[in-house]
Structures are given as structure tokens and as C-alpha cells.
């Protein structure tokens, strides 16, 4: 069996009529399978899952609600004991599902300091680090682009 218990396409069970009868979808309503898929997700999927909402100004500018966080984005903390603080993202720690933000640190007993891990869903992006890939992502996610207000509407001239 493959990912989430579905038969692999190269297995003998996935031949003939079996393929025609079974719907292939990775979505499941089982809580157990959904949690397993989440916590065992590979890095490229974790990247997308580790997204943050955009600030109101960025939301109106780019017409999108959220974007996956990357290093050098500037964020402000919206929840928890560090609410109101912010800074530049120093590290996106996909393996631990957290981010480290410049200036949000604690000191250990021996004097060394360490970054406090923050959940990306609890921060808001205030400044985006733009490169060609992120510009492409924002263009693709832009909800106003390509929307034709008269799409699907017929005029009297077209009906005749």
C-alpha cells in the first residue's frame, strides 16, 4: 500500500477494473489518517502548511490572505506571551513546525540565549521578502486577477 493506505499504481491490485471503480483522492475524513498525513508530511508539503496571514495593507496590495513564510520575512506576533512584538524571521524550522524570529529570545542559566519557537499561524507577515518565485506565487494567488465580472452572463445580442 502507498501513501494513506491507497494501493500503489504499480501493484498487482491496481490493475484492470479496480482502477476504474476506485476514486483516487488523498483526502480523508478519518481524524487518525488526517493527523498521520499531517505529522509525517514531507518537507515540501510542510512548507505550504507553515503559512501565515498577511497584514491588512499587504492583503489589499496582493489580494490574498496568506502565504508560506520564508526566512527574511518580517512578522509581528499576534498570539501568546510575545503578542505585539515582531522582527525578521531568522529560521523556518520545518522539522519542528516552528519559526524563529529575531529579537524573541530567552536567556539560559549559563548566560547563553536561544530563540523561542513560534507557530507560523500565530504570526502575521508585515513585510514580504520578494524574489521571482514569491512574485509568481502572489500572482497565482491573486484573487482579483483574471476575474471577469461578466463571466457567464449573456447579453441580449448573444441570445438572438
Amino acid at each position: 500500500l502507498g501513501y494513506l493506505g491507497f494501493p500503489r499504481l504499480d501493484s498487482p491490485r491496481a490493475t484492470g477494473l479496480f482502477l476504474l471503480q476506485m476514486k483516487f483522492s488523498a483526502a480523508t475524513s478519518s481524524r487518525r489518517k488526517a493527523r498521520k498525513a499531517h505529522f509525517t508530511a514531507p518537507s515540501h508539503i510542510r512548507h505550504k502548511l507553515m503559512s501565515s496571514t498577511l497584514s491588512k495593507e499587504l492583503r489589499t496590495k496582493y489580494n490574498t490572505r496568506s502565504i508560506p513564510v520564508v526566512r527574511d520575512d518580517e512578522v509581528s506576533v499576534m498570539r501568546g506571551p510575545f503578542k505585539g512584538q515582531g522582527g525578521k524571521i531568522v529560521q523556518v524550522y520545518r522539522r519542528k513546525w516552528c519559526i524563529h524570529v529575531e529579537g524573541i529570545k530567552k536567556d539560559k542559566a549559563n548566560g547563553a540565549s536561544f530563540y523561542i519557537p513560534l507557530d507560523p499561524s500565530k504570526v502575521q507577515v508585515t513585510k514580504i521578502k520578494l524574489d521571482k518565485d514569491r512574485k509568481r506565487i502572489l500572482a497565482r494567488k491573486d484573487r482579483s486577477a483574471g476575474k471577469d465580472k461578466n463571466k457567464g452572463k449573456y447579453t441580449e445580442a448573444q441570445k438572438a
Side-chain angles (χ1 to χ4, degrees):
L1 294 176
Y3 185 65
L4 287 179
F6 293 114
R8 294 198 343 240
L9 292 174
D10 57 349
S11 73
R13 284 181 57 200
T15 57
L17 291 175
F18 186 78
L19 277 177
L20 296 174
Q21 292 172 347
M22 185 169 178
K23 292 180 182 175
F24 283 99
S25 171
T28 177
S29 59
S30 166
R31 182 173 192 266
R32 177 177 57 136
K33 288 181 185 177
R35 283 177 58 82
K36 182 181 181 184
H38 177 81
F39 290 110
T40 60
S43 181
H44 72 285
I45 292 175
R46 285 183 187 220
H47 170 67
K48 233 179 167 176
L49 292 173
M50 293 177 68
S51 294
S52 293
T53 57
L54 296 178
S55 66
K56 288 223 167 69
E57 302 84 46
L58 293 176
R59 206 179 287 182
T60 54
K61 183 177 180 183
Y62 295 111
N63 292 307
T64 186
R65 282 189 77 78
S66 62
I67 192 166
V69 291
V70 296
R71 190 174 67 225
D72 293 335
D73 276 353
E74 286 186 27
V75 296
S76 63
V77 183
M78 305 306 285
R79 292 282 182 270
F82 300 98
K83 182 177 181 176
Q85 295 183 36
K88 200 176 268 195
I89 295 178
V90 178
Q91 182 184 25
V92 178
Y93 206 153
R94 291 187 198 172
R95 189 172 182 185
K96 290 190 174 182
W97 295 96
C98 69
I99 59 173
H100 294 152
V101 178
E102 199 175 77
I104 300 181
K105 290 183 174 183
K106 264 191 178 173
D107 293 328
K108 296 202 281 189
N110 66 2
S113 64
F114 65 97
Y115 287 107
I116 302 292
L118 299 171
D119 193 295
S121 67
K122 305 302 178 198
V123 300
Q124 191 173 67
V125 178
T126 54
K127 190 175 177 191
I128 300 178
K129 176 196 174 192
L130 280 178
D131 54 16
K132 64 179 177 65
D133 293 326
R134 294 204 81 206
K135 284 179 183 173
R136 203 172 69 230
I137 289 168
L138 287 168
R140 188 187 71 232
K141 288 187 74 166
D142 189 350
R143 289 190 284 180
S144 68
K147 276 197 176 176
D148 187 11
K149 293 195 193 302
N150 294 324
K151 185 179 179 186
K153 306 275 192 253
Y154 290 99
T155 61
E156 290 299 322
Q158 289 173 328
K159 287 180 183 177

